[in-house]
Amino acid sequence: MIEICNEELMTFKNFIESHDFFYIIGHKEPDGDCVASCLGIKAILDYKNKPCQLLSAGPFKKTEIREYEKYFSSEMDFLSEEERKRTGLFITDCSEFSRLGEIEGDLKGLDTFIIDHHKTSTCPENSHSIIDSSCPAAALLIQSLYEKTCGKIPSEIAKILYFGIMTDTGFFRFLSENDANVLVQISRLLEAGANPRKTYDKITGGKPFNTRKLLGILLSRAERYLDGRLVITWETMEDTFKYGQEGRDSDLLYSSFLSVQGVEAVVFLRQESENNCTGGLRSKDKVDVSIVASKFGGGGHKNASGLGCEGRLENLIPRVVKEFARIM
């Protein structure tokens, strides 16, 4: 079981009992782990008969999470000042307000509890937290909290949490020899009704045909740096306009390049607007991409991180290569 100490558990339980209403939010551009973690916290609050609202700045770009978008809002329910004093804010799969995106309403100033597993987590002042960077998915922390707070997980919640765990572990590809306890914990989700085959089909299937056309372009555009150890490819605004942004399959892009002999890290950059770029970074074993991501307004895990910064691709690429040269 993912270890949550008694002190953390009591802080979590007291946080729930000491508030009458809750907002639950994860990072902008949510993925499966983010969505599942938010829904898992809501399930705990439902069990405790505590009202709450799910928030997300979106967009819900990934095909596999589209069905959950209807449960989230980008506009906070109005509360009076007196009601806000009795309101708690749960932030999951993220710890920085800057990564929450644009929400209509004021999230700051609320009593805050953060549940996260990213190496680069930095909690706001005076917030409560459970942060475990050794945990491969935030949904695993939520599973442990549910089991310790509410008991046996019902089937529908087990399916959602399993879905979240699979997205962040890459169907166990990112686990190490030290993660045997993770598999033991996940087995309880299977016993409760989670289905590995259906979950795999849900995550990998249903992609628009245009995403495969775009994938071919990104594969052909890639360049190697640092004696072939680093691969960088990019998407222009014209690409996005032509092929859309729905159902992108960047995981397949990363795995394709990481399977190449000698490649240790992969970077996928995207020109989001005239003066802003985003990017994903993946690596093998010892290369810590979170160090590079933190230089460009991002962060994440040792082997999987994201970035977002001002600039243009032609200027950003050499800067990214320079930062990788420092650590590879």
Side-chain angles (χ1 to χ4, degrees):
M1 177 181 291
I2 299 300
E3 291 299 324
I4 293 176
C5 69
N6 288 333
E7 182 179 352
E8 290 175 325
L9 181 62
M10 289 307 301
T11 301
F12 176 76
K13 289 181 176 180
N14 290 337
F15 186 81
I16 292 176
E17 294 303 324
S18 61
H19 296 89
D20 296 332
F21 182 80
F22 297 86
Y23 295 114
I24 307 168
I25 191 170
H27 56 78
K28 60 185 176 183
E29 291 199 33
D31 57 10
D33 189 32
C34 178
V35 168
S37 299
C38 289
L39 291 170
I41 293 175
K42 183 181 185 302
I44 295 173
L45 296 176
D46 288 345
Y47 183 89
K48 292 291 187 178
N49 294 314
K50 294 282 187 173
C52 63
Q53 182 189 16
L54 290 165
L55 298 170
S56 178
F60 285 67
K61 293 180 180 178
K62 297 178 180 292
T63 307
E64 63 269 23
I65 64 170
R66 193 65 53 77
E67 66 181 276
Y68 301 113
E69 184 175 6
K70 61 188 177 184
Y71 300 116
F72 292 80
S73 173
S74 60
E75 181 178 347
M76 296 170 64
D77 289 344
F78 175 77
L79 299 176
S80 68
E81 283 303 313
E82 201 57 40
E83 289 171 325
R84 281 178 65 90
K85 293 177 183 178
R86 299 285 296 173
T87 296
L89 171 65
F90 276 110
I91 301 176
T92 186
D93 200 33
C94 173
S95 63
E96 303 90 357
F97 276 98
S98 60
R99 293 189 62 216
L100 300 181
E102 296 296 324
I103 296 292
E104 188 171 330
D106 184 13
L107 287 168
K108 294 184 178 179
L110 295 170
D111 199 9
T112 302
F113 200 113
I114 290 168
I115 304 171
D116 195 14
H117 70 127
H118 291 98
K119 181 181 177 182
T120 53
S121 292
T122 53
C123 291
E125 189 176 356
N126 298 324
S127 62
H128 312 279
S129 65
I130 296 175
I131 296 178
D132 183 356
S133 61
S134 69
C135 181
L140 278 162
L141 294 171
I142 305 302
Q143 177 190 350
S144 193
L145 285 170
Y146 190 103
E147 291 173 333
K148 289 175 177 289
T149 303
C150 312
K152 187 175 180 180
I153 294 181
S155 178
E156 286 307 308
I157 303 304
K159 292 174 183 177
I160 290 170
L161 291 176
Y162 184 77
F163 164 72
I165 294 165
M166 289 302 94
T167 60
D168 256 31
T169 64
F171 302 98
F172 307 131
R173 297 197 315 274
F174 306 138
L175 299 186
S176 70
E177 66 275 11
N178 301 317
D179 290 321
N181 62 326
V182 172
L183 297 178
V184 172
Q185 182 167 329
I186 290 173
S187 70
R188 295 197 293 276
L189 298 179
L190 301 185
E191 291 173 353
N195 186 306
R197 179 176 294 178
K198 289 183 178 179
T199 304
Y200 179 84
D201 290 343
K202 177 178 179 177
I203 293 174
T204 60
K207 308 296 182 185
F209 180 72
N210 270 359
T211 64
R212 294 315 186 244
K213 300 280 285 185
L214 177 60
L215 180 62
I217 291 172
L218 299 178
L219 290 169
S220 64
R221 183 178 287 160
E223 298 287 348
R224 301 181 74 174
Y225 301 87
L226 305 179
D227 300 321
R229 291 173 294 160
L230 172 67
V231 171
I232 298 181
T233 190
W234 64 93
E235 179 181 326
T236 66
M237 292 173 62
E238 290 77 14
D239 295 329
T240 306
F241 178 78
K242 182 175 181 178
Y243 296 104
Q245 60 182 13
E246 181 181 345
R248 288 166 170 161
D249 199 357
S250 52
D251 285 342
L252 183 56
L253 177 71
Y254 298 130
S255 62
S256 295
F257 285 125
L258 286 174
S259 65
V260 175
Q261 184 177 9
V263 174
E264 299 176 14
V266 178
V267 177
F268 169 36
L269 300 173
R270 181 184 301 119
Q271 190 79 52
E272 296 284 357
S273 66
E274 287 294 336
N275 296 300
N276 285 279
C277 292
T278 60
L281 303 83
R282 300 292 186 271
S283 68
K284 292 180 180 177
D285 305 326
K286 298 179 181 180
V287 179
D288 189 345
V289 294
S290 70
I291 296 174
V292 176
S294 67
K295 303 291 185 180
F296 299 94
H301 306 289
K302 176 182 177 182
N303 301 121
S305 291
L307 62 81
C309 64
E310 293 184 354
R312 294 192 59 80
L313 289 170
E314 57 267 28
N315 300 317
L316 180 58
I317 290 173
R319 292 169 56 203
V320 170
V321 173
K322 183 177 180 180
E323 293 300 330
F324 268 100
R326 300 178 190 275
I327 66 170
M328 292 179 70

